[in-house]
Amino acid sequence: MNLLLQYLSLCWFTNNPADLHPSKSFMWKAVAFYLVSGIIVESLIADPADGTLEVLLRTVMAFSTIITLLLIMRKWDYFGQLFTAIFICENFIMTLAIGAEALDLVMVMEHYENREEVSIGLAVFLVVWYIAIVSYIFRQMLSFKMSSSIVTAFSYFVLTYGLPMLFMDI
């Protein structure tokens, strides 16, 4: 539980993910939660089969992107720490997204007049926060400059969310 709290504190831009050393069990539990929470969110938005496929594609893209980045930078030793840090923080954001989806459902059922604005606002906030967290993780783990970490985090977001979404639209 202590290790989880240390990883979650990355969401508030404290701790250094390089100082955290997850066990193999902890790492794979983070991946399992990532898959389950992602499938829940995508199934609320789209067809469950399509949502599951999109989450699996996102997972492959996330691992591929992290592996490629670390191989290029010759910092393969950080693989477990980096993917765990990103996945734990993404799991936190995804949990908030599930709450946002539930709120959206309630607003639809209550015929809330500004439902779209609230939902879009929450989505934008969560995406910006997610990119900021991933940027922080890259900056801490890989000693990137601020601008490089933001560009890399945005690129990571596009690769892990944009490409699978594009693939699903084809």
Side-chain angles (χ1 to χ4, degrees):
M1 184 63 142
N2 188 37
L3 185 60
L4 177 61
L5 293 175
Q6 290 175 336
Y7 271 105
L8 286 174
S9 69
L10 294 171
C11 296
W12 287 271
F13 313 105
T14 59
N15 278 348
N16 184 341
D19 296 336
L20 304 175
H21 302 282
S23 66
K24 297 276 187 215
S25 171
F26 186 82
M27 291 188 300
W28 292 112
K29 286 176 185 174
V31 173
F33 189 88
Y34 176 85
L35 290 169
V36 170
S37 62
I39 290 169
I40 290 170
V41 168
E42 291 300 326
S43 295
L44 290 171
I45 296 170
D47 177 69
D50 287 346
T52 301
L53 180 58
E54 186 171 335
V55 172
L56 292 174
L57 289 170
R58 276 200 328 243
T59 306
V60 168
M61 287 304 302
F63 278 118
S64 300
T65 304
I66 292 168
I67 288 169
T68 303
L69 177 65
L70 292 175
L71 287 175
I72 289 170
M73 297 198 62
R74 296 184 180 152
K75 293 191 177 191
W76 178 252
D77 295 342
Y78 289 142
F79 176 72
Q81 293 165 294
L82 184 60
F83 99 74
T84 304
I86 291 173
F87 274 48
I88 292 292
C89 292
E90 190 159 356
N91 288 342
F92 177 72
I93 297 293
M94 195 62 67
T95 302
L96 295 176
I98 291 170
E101 288 291 330
L103 177 63
D104 184 63
L105 179 63
V106 169
M107 288 189 297
V108 166
M109 291 175 14
E110 296 294 322
H111 305 289
Y112 186 72
E113 189 175 317
N114 297 322
R115 178 197 67 84
E116 278 189 39
E117 291 84 358
V118 171
S119 295
I120 291 170
L122 283 172
V124 168
F125 173 75
L126 291 174
V127 168
V128 169
W129 191 12
Y130 170 74
I131 291 171
I133 292 168
V134 174
S135 173
Y136 174 79
I137 292 169
F138 285 147
R139 196 170 67 244
Q140 293 295 313
M141 287 284 302
L142 305 172
S143 302
F144 283 178
K145 293 179 181 177
M146 177 72 82
S147 58
S148 296
S149 68
I150 292 170
V151 168
T152 306
F154 183 77
S155 299
Y156 176 82
F157 176 77
V158 169
L159 289 170
T160 58
Y161 282 87
L163 285 182
M165 192 182 314
L166 181 65
F167 178 80
M168 294 305 295
D169 286 342
I170 294 176

